[in-house]
Every structure is written in structure tokens, then in C-alpha cells.
Amino acid sequence: MKSVFADTFYWVALINKSDSWHHRVRNYSSNLGNIKIITTEEILTETINFFAAFPTPMRSAVSQLITQIIADHNIQVIPQTHESFIAGLELFQQRFDKGYSLTDCISMMTMKKFNIIEILTHDKHFTQEGFLILFKD
């Protein structure tokens, strides 16, 4: 089974109807077929944090989405570990010129560890590391 990595961009656009990418992400999601989605607890944390200042109904919906993601057998959530933090920090320290976030670096190292090339994102930082972003302008 093919695996793709899901970035914060994907989860935010999937749930936020006001997001300019919402319809494209929803359509793409409905056609994923036999694909395993890999994401990390750091990504889920970042997703929750994105919606922290939203009204209660949206925060509730995000909480429900995260619970569904964790329970979904077609989605593998990689837990946070000290080792993943250190690996991401090391990449972050090697790429000060790139503007990567620490979460992006942890994601990139996770993708390398699991030999995943494709990522459900629009973030062009991932192309700089040789990954294929699945949402382009």
C-alpha cells in the first residue's frame, strides 16, 4: 500500500471551509483510494494550535477531527519522541537559510525514515528537500 504524509496544511484545509484550499483538499481526499496517510503528533498539535483562537464550534470540530484521525486505521500517527525531536532539531540547525519550522524538519525526517516522497501540502519548503508536494498553484 502506498503511503503519503499529511502536513498541517492538509488537516487545516480539510476542516476549515473558509480556507482557500478547502474544496481542492476535500475533492482530493475523496479520491485517495488505497493510500495510507502518515502524520505525526507534532502535526496534530500544530493543527489544534492553528485553531486555538477560533470560536468554540470550530475548536470542537477540530477536536473531533483529531480524535477521528487517531482512531482511523488508514491513518498512522507517529508519536512524538525525544529521538524525533533531536532529529528534527539537527535538520533545523543545518538549514538556517531555508526558513523551515521545527515541525517541518521533524516531518521531513519522519518522511525520510519511512521512505515517503509525497506530501499532502502546499508548503514549497518540502520541495527543497526533494519531496513531492501534492497541492500546487
Side-chain angles (χ1 to χ4, degrees), residues 70-134:
I70 292 167
D72 192 319
H73 298 296
N74 292 318
I75 301 172
Q76 181 178 356
V77 179
I78 307 301
Q80 299 177 63
T81 65
H82 181 69
E83 292 77 18
S84 66
F85 178 83
I86 295 300
L89 180 60
E90 288 173 357
L91 180 60
F92 179 83
Q93 291 170 332
Q94 296 167 11
R95 304 290 196 274
F96 288 143
D97 62 321
K98 302 291 186 191
Y100 298 170
S101 72
L102 179 58
T103 301
D104 285 350
C105 291
I106 292 168
S107 297
M108 292 171 189
M109 296 307 291
T110 301
M111 291 176 69
K112 288 178 184 179
K113 179 179 178 180
F114 287 90
N115 296 313
I116 300 170
I117 296 170
E118 296 177 317
I119 180 167
L120 296 162
T121 195
H122 180 255
D123 186 343
K124 292 173 181 54
H125 286 141
F126 287 89
T127 61
Q128 295 172 337
E129 293 296 319
F131 299 108
L132 176 64
I133 61 173
L134 297 176

Side-chain angles (χ1 to χ4, degrees), residues 25-42:
V25 168
R26 278 280 211 209
N27 289 339
Y28 193 91
S29 292
S30 64
N31 295 314
L32 278 175
N34 195 24
I35 291 182
K36 183 163 193 86
I37 295 176
I38 310 290
T39 196
T40 64
E41 287 181 348
E42 291 90 350

Side-chain angles (χ1 to χ4, degrees), residues 39-56:
T39 196
T40 64
E41 287 181 348
E42 291 90 350
I43 292 292
L44 299 183
T45 299
E46 198 171 68
T47 301
I48 291 170
N49 289 344
F50 178 86
F51 291 101
F54 277 64
T56 299

